[in-house]
Amino acid sequence: MDTTEAKTKRVYQFGNKTADGKGFMKPLLGGKGANLAEMSRIGLPVPPGFTITTEVCTEYHELGKEGVINVLRPEVREGVKFIEDIMGATFGDRDNPLLLSVRSGARDSMPGMMDTVLDIGLNDTVVEGLAKKSGKPHFAWDSYRRFIQMYGDVVMKVNRHVLTDTDVFEEILDKMKDEKGVKTDQELSTEDLKKLVSLYKERIKELTETDFPQEPAEQLWNSIIAVFESWHTPRAIVYRKLNNIPEEWGTAVNVQAMVYGNMGERSASGVAFTRDAATGENIFNGEYLIDAQGEDVVAGIRTPHQITLEGSKRWAKLAQVDEEERKKNYSSLEEYMPEVYQELVKYEHELEDHFSDMQDLEFTIQEDKLWILQTRNGKRTGEAMVRIGMEMLDEGRIDEVTLLGRIDPKKVEELLHPIFDHDALAKATPIAKGLPASPGAATGQIVFHSEDAEIWKADGKEVILVRTETSPEDLAGMDAARGILTSRGGMTCHAAIVARGMGKCCISGAGSIHVDGDKKVMTIDGKVYEEGSWISINGTTGHVFEGKIPTKAAELTGNFGRLIELADKHSKMKVHANADTPETARAARDFGAEGIGLCRTEHMFFEEDRIAAMREMILSEDEDGRRKALEKLLPMQRSDFEGILKAMEGYPVTIRLLDPPLHEFLPHDETSQKEMAKNLGITLEKLREKVDDLREVNPMLGHRGCRLGNTYPEITQMQARAIIEAALNLKSKGVNAKPEIMIPLTGTVEEFKMQADIVRNEIKNIFIERHEEIEFKVGTMIEVPRAALVADQIAKYADFFSFGTNDLTQMTFGYSRDDIGKFLPIYLDKNILKEDPFEVLDQEGVGQLVMTGVQKGRSTHPKLTVGICGEHGGEPRSVEFCHTVGMNYVSCSPFRVPIAKVAAAKVNIQG
Amino acid sequence: MDTTEAKTKRVYQFGNKTADGKGFMKPLLGGKGANLAEMSRIGLPVPPGFTITTEVCTEYHELGKEGVINVLRPEVREGVKFIEDIMGATFGDRDNPLLLSVRSGARDSMPGMMDTVLDIGLNDTVVEGLAKKSGKPHFAWDSYRRFIQMYGDVVMKVNRHVLTDTDVFEEILDKMKDEKGVKTDQELSTEDLKKLVSLYKERIKELTETDFPQEPAEQLWNSIIAVFESWHTPRAIVYRKLNNIPEEWGTAVNVQAMVYGNMGERSASGVAFTRDAATGENIFNGEYLIDAQGEDVVAGIRTPHQITLEGSKRWAKLAQVDEEERKKNYSSLEEYMPEVYQELVKYEHELEDHFSDMQDLEFTIQEDKLWILQTRNGKRTGEAMVRIGMEMLDEGRIDEVTLLGRIDPKKVEELLHPIFDHDALAKATPIAKGLPASPGAATGQIVFHSEDAEIWKADGKEVILVRTETSPEDLAGMDAARGILTSRGGMTCHAAIVARGMGKCCISGAGSIHVDGDKKVMTIDGKVYEEGSWISINGTTGHVFEGKIPTKAAELTGNFGRLIELADKHSKMKVHANADTPETARAARDFGAEGIGLCRTEHMFFEEDRIAAMREMILSEDEDGRRKALEKLLPMQRSDFEGILKAMEGYPVTIRLLDPPLHEFLPHDETSQKEMAKNLGITLEKLREKVDDLREVNPMLGHRGCRLGNTYPEITQMQARAIIEAALNLKSKGVNAKPEIMIPLTGTVEEFKMQADIVRNEIKNIFIERHEEIEFKVGTMIEVPRAALVADQIAKYADFFSFGTNDLTQMTFGYSRDDIGKFLPIYLDKNILKEDPFEVLDQEGVGQLVMTGVQKGRSTHPKLTVGICGEHGGEPRSVEFCHTVGMNYVSCSPFRVPIAKVAAAKVNIQG
């Protein structure tokens, strides 16, 4: 071993109120490891252990198993010794054995994604020692049985050796329970457990041709390696993709002394939240299970009890459990172990005080002794995120900058999701009730498998994923579904946690629903619902309804309104919206838009009464004919513009001149063509000839944008006239209209100059005709790569630039948005593309052109107004980029305005 | 007038063996003005005069007519005084009048493009003085008649006031000739001419409501202004576009004393060349007309005589004129005026010695006194350019660098034009014979009007433009035609000069042909040829043939071969060729290509026996099916590659992997679809479904290029295997194959890496299988804008870059090459685009990306080989650009290889 290697610290110890690491060392120790260190430092009862750093995960992929064990061995040995000293027990000792757990711990929590092995150190002799030492042979053998099952699955990958989906061990276990006529694992006798152990070991030998390892050190090393390996499982990769976690980060490994919640009636395991993760209410809450390990709570197999009495009563009401039964079978921890409960409350206060954020903690009670296993900033819904942030601000725990820093702009979207229409909801009768696991409302068709959810969604359908319970394998399906409904599980089951993380509506534990995934049906009170049936679910109340229930927009007041005010206060960029109609413009204003960044005029031409005149214009043989048709369109366009300018009174409205290829406006079916030929007084053949003439091989790159305006200047004249006359009409009514005219698809300075001249001349004429003037701007889209490259020239004549990053992405990548479906899924799958560049701006490539465009533009026109109006204008990371390159505003769909505002504020305060 | 104005010298005098200007001052004085100054300096008899600078042309467009006259007046006055002093006559004086000419003179000669006014200073009284002074009233009145006609047309634009195409004055003149029963102008009596003058003046008054100006100063100023104006006539603009002359250059104006070639039998006008402008032969030659002004020679109305006896005899043979008639009616200047001829020969030697280049001079003999009116470097055919250059190099007149500097790469192309197949030609009987005005061979369909030539060409037809004579208005039509045939005019007529300039085959003065443009027929010996009939013309011999005559490639030896050797010696860049077949590869080698820069593999799939396997591959449901079909294709591809690698033995062959969207390979007509469905054993519906599935909205931006190879890696594997196995097969036969594998349409580094890995792995396997290795390279096209932007990343893994500037232009501009026809003509017309960016590389926009790509690529891979394989690789200015950005090679069509070589050498020697 060389000296460099020796200097690298790979293992950080914690326990007994001391620690090598600290809370801020998440990149190195992972979230769990850093928090264990921090908790130990502030005096919480953490089972002692050590953390192997995330850097070793990367090292592992270079050095391989043997290599990494070699460099780790000395420090791991010291770490085990440290634990042994504190726990007064010895790893592998048959009389006084120490058992260990090995858990993953990435920088950002990835719940349920990666592997864990518990009870390491047990073997055929140690189990006897444990039985003797604890005086609980049943517990010892149950632990050994669990250990073999977990190790067999996670480390030895036994289940990969069979073709069926059923778990090898569960199969043996179920058979045993059947034979013994019992329902739960706990009812099995110690002898049954011993038998199980030997059956498990046989099956392992049979399938893997390897003996279950008896050597504790071997068990430990293999478990550590398995955790490193689990960083690369498909489900972990999917999760990282969904959550933008870089592959390079790696995971840390936490090795800790085992503590047991399953040592009988005075033992328990639980999870707790310092505030309500769904609503954000400042109320301590959580769930626990008596005589169980932590996994049992999360797995959702037994219905957990509430920690607080208040919570327990609330739960009973929802679950329709009467007080007597509640007390008997579901008593709260507050009632069941009042002292331990008080200690837990003390710690949850300390933790929230220490971290100044809502904590999600795991604990185990081993024979009346409380251990805190983990704490982390709790995942929460968008609503909870905003409420907790605002209340902590009010409590003086955090400042505005910290608050904004904690707001995830993507989650802001959840608050904007529609909720069920109140009246419709009042009339609807629920067909079932479950736990309100993740708030919101969703309507969709039932599917029973994740793959189906993905397929149906790809077909444009809205689906609700209905399952008995979900597992990490269901991730992609959950992402595809509008909502999730499970018949089992509690508020902290897999489905609930993941759905809240996704901001997706979810009901868990709806016990009256029977789900038969194989037959693809669910049955409620004897009524059968097949795949494809419509249901509606309310994640805020837990109610399930038959059919579709209309939804309405969320309200944007209270904490949400305050958040948006704060965002405005802290951001440099303005947020405009893309809107083509007065209605959308008004909606955008409600969402806080301070202008229209893109008003597409072509949509106006598709309406019944206009399309005829538009077609007449397109099919005219000469300018005179076009002018005649345009005269019919002028008053219609003018009234459109009056509407939208009025709706945005006082704010700029950027109106883009006609953009799409003319072919799009022509009729392509025979009936319409015949009718049109008749209207125009020409033969059907002549009409078809015209239509064919206008057809293009690559319309995206064809005769469109300012190429239309420069070949048919009369169109530009008409539109400029309609806009300015509309503004003048409004002015005379005392309305302050601020029109900005935008030239699309500029590629050369000459193109822009010619269009801008036409516009400015027409406006000059209008001002002379009407003896009055109004302020206006003339600018351009920058959406053709060449425009960005010659932006210095164009900027000399333009009042503003608006980056059209949709088209810019199409041309910079050479991807047709209409055709990308043929290879994008494969490209994402093979990691050629990290994300869809039409969703998240490609900063590396397209971003270079945007930066060039901004810099060159400002080099000749320092006060040039610059914005973006592509779909990216509402995507948080893209908004960040826009701020970084110095844009004045972003423009996005009205719905995304609040998201953009928060993103803009965050990037500004982060400097 | 302020002091700055006073300092600007606007007028440069010359004459009497002195001059203010010098020959190198062409940008300021124009070509004609600078040469007049230079000739005067070296002692040639130049009619005295002065040049108004090109800067004043620009000033005129700012100051307007009155403004520019104000700033010019003092210097023009001095200039006129200077001429008066030398000529001993006074401008406007009725007894001893000085007459002036006003001629344009751009930096580069634009023959026939711009306006000229002669005989300025004549009016109703001065004409009488001139008659008296010269003793030739007929001459005086003929001059006045001509002056009014020219001034009326050029300055007063009389012909714009009538709707017919006939010239207002020619109409009156023709009527007069009819009345008098004469055929030529000269036959009219002095009284007739007086009558004509008064008829001309009446008609002018009638049409313009203005009197013909009697004031000489007014005549002079208006003529000067008319020349400035003529810089902006449509035909001048077309000419500049065709010849890449910037609009900003402007024209100079030359004001000179009039000298007369039309003062009777001892007067003449002519043009002469120091060497043969068609073949380059070192032989003095030219044409003259007795009793004529220079315009008469160029206009081609009378058949001119040859200057030298030898030339005259040669001409007679071609024109089938016997010696007696020749002597009588077409005697050479050498015979007719031996002394003047000797003086002229002396001057032509002096001029060629002085300018070290072939000169084109104009002269006038006024009553036995020789005046040299103009000299300039003579326009010449490509063949003459090369021969003159080489011979002057051999004569020690110029060095290699000067020689290359004078080679116009575009004209090199002429030498590569096919000539008629010798055997076919020997069998063909000419139907008519004219003058061999511009060498080369052309076959096409007859059209009689320039507009028709343009229309037919746009329809993809090959046409020969047949006219009585051509005028500058015919420029666009001549450009559109394959060749030009006129029934009138000499070797220096408009058609001849322009055709030589264009490198286009032309026969002029084919007198046996009767052309009726209105009826669109030509008649030869009673046989009628209608529009659309096929003819072939040989511009080297003057023969016209019926029907099509097969052509064969030009020979590339002699002077041409030496030129290419010189180019290779003086250039840094290599020139490769684009070729897809062994035949083309061999042709490319013959043209001097030192490698194949682009071998497109997809063309190989379209052949009868392959397309079936290709379609089978495309329509396979899975990878297995595709692999089966690819196995069939492998041996075919391998043999293709063997052929091409063998043809280019010793030189690199860059093979691009499959590029087009798969849809292109599928059958679209019902018959083929049915057949194919049968072959594949599927229903027609199923097949159509598949075909529809693959259809794309914008195929240019769709599933093509490396997107295919990355979604179907087995295609890449097959192609890599075919290439390397072919090379190994050749190696075993002792052939040195140098394969380079090129990935198309790379946009991200991951895309390239994945493809390159597939290729390199497959090759590794082949090397293992065959136990032998070969050198190869793996590189990429840079044709997607994003690839240029991230070239630093890509270059780390690539052996070479090849810029695909066709696609790069499509994506940078957002122009679909298939659809650009809808707006490109309008864009060129409106000057939005200066030229077609698919023809000439857009250095400003696309060039920026190329430069970025090269620089970034070399930043991480300093020894990266860089080339270009778009159409631009053979376009001279684009080749220059490629040199400037530091490319290693350009690749173009075989035909353009010599052009590229010359362009590459020129830019290198010019530094």
Side-chain angles (χ1 to χ4, degrees), chain B residues 520-539:
Chain B
K520 295 193 177 182
V521 291
M522 75 172 187
T523 317
I524 303 174
D525 294 336
K527 179 159 184 190
V528 174
Y529 296 83
E530 293 186 338
E531 187 183 54
S533 308
W534 282 86
I535 58 169
S536 300
I537 60 175
N538 187 339

Side-chain angles (χ1 to χ4, degrees), chain A residues 506-665:
Chain A
C506 173
I507 296 174
S508 61
S512 66
I513 299 181
H514 178 79
V515 178
D516 186 333
D518 290 342
K519 294 196 180 146
K520 296 192 176 183
V521 290
M522 74 171 190
T523 316
I524 303 175
D525 295 338
K527 178 158 184 188
V528 175
Y529 296 83
E530 294 186 337
E531 185 184 56
S533 308
W534 283 86
I535 58 168
S536 299
I537 61 175
N538 188 340
T540 317
T541 61
H543 288 109
V544 182
F545 304 90
E546 202 176 281
K548 304 186 213 177
I549 297 180
T551 52
K552 65 163 198 169
E555 281 178 37
L556 305 171
T557 49
N559 283 328
F560 180 81
R562 287 178 62 202
L563 174 67
I564 298 308
E565 269 172 40
L566 269 188
D568 283 344
K569 179 177 164 189
H570 285 278
S571 58
K572 254 189 196 158
M573 283 195 298
K574 296 275 182 207
V575 178
H576 295 189
N578 302 343
D580 307 338
T581 62
E583 298 73 50
T584 329
R586 272 187 290 273
R589 249 189 125 129
D590 290 345
F591 278 112
E594 298 182 81
I596 297 297
L598 175 63
C599 169
R600 285 167 284 245
T601 56
E602 53 270 19
H603 290 194
M604 303 170 181
F605 291 122
F606 281 105
E607 278 172 46
E608 193 77 48
D609 51 337
R610 294 146 190 226
I611 190 76
M614 188 65 187
R615 288 172 176 173
E616 188 187 321
M617 195 275 293
I618 294 168
L619 298 177
S620 296
E621 292 291 342
D622 54 20
E623 192 185 319
D624 277 357
R626 282 193 296 275
R627 284 198 183 277
K628 245 175 74 188
L630 286 165
E631 259 165 47
K632 296 184 198 165
L633 288 168
L634 174 66
M636 305 180 198
Q637 282 256 295
R638 190 169 49 219
S639 89
D640 290 330
F641 295 138
E642 271 188 50
I644 204 157
L645 285 165
K646 180 144 187 275
M648 287 309 280
E649 177 172 9
Y651 286 129
V653 176
T654 308
I655 299 168
R656 183 179 70 184
L657 300 185
L658 192 67
D659 184 52
L662 298 180
H663 195 255
E664 284 189 13
F665 297 99

Side-chain angles (χ1 to χ4, degrees), chain B residues 162-224:
Chain B
V162 292
L163 290 175
T164 58
D165 269 355
T166 45
D167 183 279
V168 164
F169 301 110
E170 290 292 338
E171 209 170 19
I172 298 170
L173 181 61
D174 286 346
K175 204 174 151 205
M176 168 80 76
K177 285 196 283 188
D178 277 357
E179 282 172 15
K180 299 291 164 185
V182 301
K183 281 195 167 180
T184 66
D185 309 357
Q186 280 102 324
E187 294 172 74
L188 292 172
S189 70
T190 307
E191 281 317 300
D192 294 339
L193 294 170
K194 284 184 183 174
K195 175 79 182 149
L196 263 185
V197 163
S198 99
L199 288 171
Y200 279 8
K201 288 198 290 186
E202 272 168 35
R203 189 79 174 117
I204 287 174
K205 174 80 183 178
E206 195 180 300
L207 288 169
T208 67
E209 294 173 13
T210 319
D211 285 316
F212 179 80
Q214 292 293 317
E215 177 52 54
E218 189 188 344
Q219 294 170 359
L220 178 62
W221 283 117
N222 285 344
S223 301
I224 291 170

Side-chain angles (χ1 to χ4, degrees), chain B residues 296-533:
Chain B
D296 302 332
V297 184
V298 178
I301 293 164
R302 281 157 63 195
T303 302
H305 305 196
Q306 292 296 305
I307 289 175
T308 67
L309 177 57
E310 191 192 337
S312 185
K313 285 186 167 171
R314 226 198 269 186
W315 170 85
K317 207 173 150 197
L318 280 169
Q320 292 167 297
V321 166
D322 67 27
E323 178 65 7
E324 198 174 337
E325 199 197 336
R326 185 197 71 73
K327 270 193 173 161
K328 193 178 146 210
N329 293 326
Y330 300 100
S331 69
S332 68
L333 186 65
E334 193 170 352
E335 296 159 286
Y336 188 64
M337 291 180 168
E339 278 146 42
V340 171
Y341 173 75
Q342 286 310 330
E343 196 186 349
L344 184 62
V345 169
K346 179 174 160 263
Y347 294 149
E348 71 103 355
H349 280 304
E350 283 177 16
L351 284 169
E352 210 183 82
D353 287 347
H354 186 73
F355 290 105
S356 294
D357 200 356
M358 187 263 265
Q359 294 298 298
D360 163 0
L361 47 137
E362 286 180 22
F363 62 90
T364 282
I365 302 162
Q366 181 175 336
E367 298 182 318
D368 286 313
K369 156 92 181 128
L370 176 65
W371 293 96
I372 306 295
L373 301 188
Q374 166 166 306
T375 194
R376 56 190 179 195
N377 294 335
K379 300 228 168 228
R380 63 204 79 174
T381 63
E383 189 188 341
M385 172 184 74
V386 174
R387 178 168 177 178
I388 292 170
M390 281 300 162
E391 291 185 358
M392 286 197 167
L393 179 70
D394 294 340
E395 290 160 20
R397 286 181 190 269
I398 55 174
D399 60 11
E400 290 175 359
V401 167
T402 308
L403 164 64
L404 283 167
R406 282 188 191 163
I407 300 292
D408 176 355
K410 271 191 181 167
K411 287 213 163 164
V412 172
E413 195 173 341
E414 291 171 32
L415 280 83
L416 308 171
H417 280 305
I419 54 173
F420 284 131
D421 176 85
H422 232 71
D423 296 343
L425 197 62
K427 281 178 221 150
T429 312
I431 51 171
K433 190 157 191 326
L435 298 171
S438 183
T443 288
Q445 291 176 273
I446 300 174
V447 294
F448 294 96
H449 297 282
S450 285
E451 309 81 63
D452 294 332
E454 291 180 77
I455 293 164
W456 286 46
K457 194 204 170 183
D459 285 347
K461 292 176 181 162
E462 299 176 353
V463 299
I464 306 284
L465 179 64
V466 178
R467 307 215 14 103
T468 307
E469 56 199 319
T470 65
S471 71
E473 276 76 19
D474 291 315
L475 212 59
M478 293 172 75
D479 190 47
R482 308 278 291 192
I484 297 115
L485 170 60
T486 72
S487 57
R488 286 205 212 154
M491 289 289 286
T492 47
C493 72
H494 178 266
I497 291 175
V498 172
R500 282 200 294 273
M502 288 177 171
K504 194 150 283 195
C505 158
C506 173
I507 295 174
S508 62
S512 67
I513 300 179
H514 179 78
V515 178
D516 186 334
D518 289 343
K519 292 193 181 146
K520 295 193 177 182
V521 291
M522 75 172 187
T523 317
I524 303 174
D525 294 336
K527 179 159 184 190
V528 174
Y529 296 83
E530 293 186 338
E531 187 183 54
S533 308

Side-chain angles (χ1 to χ4, degrees), chain A residues 356-396:
Chain A
S356 294
D357 200 357
M358 187 264 264
Q359 294 298 300
D360 162 359
L361 47 136
E362 287 180 23
F363 61 90
T364 283
I365 302 161
Q366 180 175 337
E367 297 182 318
D368 287 314
K369 155 94 180 125
L370 176 64
W371 293 95
I372 306 295
L373 300 188
Q374 165 168 308
T375 192
R376 56 188 178 197
N377 294 334
K379 301 228 168 228
R380 61 203 82 173
T381 62
E383 188 187 342
M385 172 183 76
V386 174
R387 179 168 174 178
I388 291 170
M390 281 301 163
E391 290 185 358
M392 286 197 167
L393 179 70
D394 293 340
E395 290 159 19

Side-chain angles (χ1 to χ4, degrees), chain A residues 329-546:
Chain A
N329 292 327
Y330 302 101
S331 69
S332 67
L333 186 67
E334 193 171 354
E335 297 158 287
Y336 188 66
M337 290 180 166
E339 277 146 42
V340 172
Y341 173 76
Q342 285 312 327
E343 197 186 346
L344 184 62
V345 168
K346 179 176 159 262
Y347 294 148
E348 71 102 357
H349 280 303
E350 282 177 18
L351 284 169
E352 207 182 85
D353 286 347
H354 184 74
F355 290 104
S356 294
D357 200 357
M358 187 264 264
Q359 294 298 300
D360 162 359
L361 47 136
E362 287 180 23
F363 61 90
T364 283
I365 302 161
Q366 180 175 337
E367 297 182 318
D368 287 314
K369 155 94 180 125
L370 176 64
W371 293 95
I372 306 295
L373 300 188
Q374 165 168 308
T375 192
R376 56 188 178 197
N377 294 334
K379 301 228 168 228
R380 61 203 82 173
T381 62
E383 188 187 342
M385 172 183 76
V386 174
R387 179 168 174 178
I388 291 170
M390 281 301 163
E391 290 185 358
M392 286 197 167
L393 179 70
D394 293 340
E395 290 159 19
R397 285 181 189 269
I398 55 174
D399 59 13
E400 290 175 356
V401 167
T402 307
L403 163 64
L404 283 168
R406 284 188 190 164
I407 299 293
D408 175 357
K410 271 191 180 166
K411 289 212 163 167
V412 171
E413 196 174 342
E414 290 171 32
L415 281 84
L416 309 170
H417 280 306
I419 54 174
F420 285 133
D421 177 86
H422 231 72
D423 295 345
L425 197 63
K427 281 178 222 148
T429 312
I431 51 172
K433 191 155 188 327
L435 299 171
S438 182
T443 288
Q445 291 176 273
I446 298 173
V447 294
F448 294 97
H449 299 281
S450 284
E451 309 81 62
D452 295 332
E454 291 180 76
I455 293 164
W456 287 46
K457 194 205 169 180
D459 286 346
K461 292 174 181 164
E462 298 177 351
V463 300
I464 305 285
L465 179 65
V466 178
R467 300 204 35 90
T468 308
E469 55 199 319
T470 65
S471 71
E473 277 76 20
D474 292 316
L475 211 62
M478 294 173 75
D479 189 47
R482 307 279 291 193
I484 298 112
L485 169 61
T486 71
S487 57
R488 288 206 210 151
M491 288 291 284
T492 48
C493 72
H494 177 266
I497 290 174
V498 172
R500 282 200 294 273
M502 289 179 170
K504 196 150 284 194
C505 160
C506 173
I507 296 174
S508 61
S512 66
I513 299 181
H514 178 79
V515 178
D516 186 333
D518 290 342
K519 294 196 180 146
K520 296 192 176 183
V521 290
M522 74 171 190
T523 316
I524 303 175
D525 295 338
K527 178 158 184 188
V528 175
Y529 296 83
E530 294 186 337
E531 185 184 56
S533 308
W534 283 86
I535 58 168
S536 299
I537 61 175
N538 188 340
T540 317
T541 61
H543 288 109
V544 182
F545 304 90
E546 202 176 281

Side-chain angles (χ1 to χ4, degrees), chain B residues 625-636:
Chain B
R626 281 193 297 274
R627 284 199 183 276
K628 245 175 70 187
L630 286 166
E631 261 166 45
K632 297 183 196 168
L633 288 168
L634 175 65
M636 305 181 197

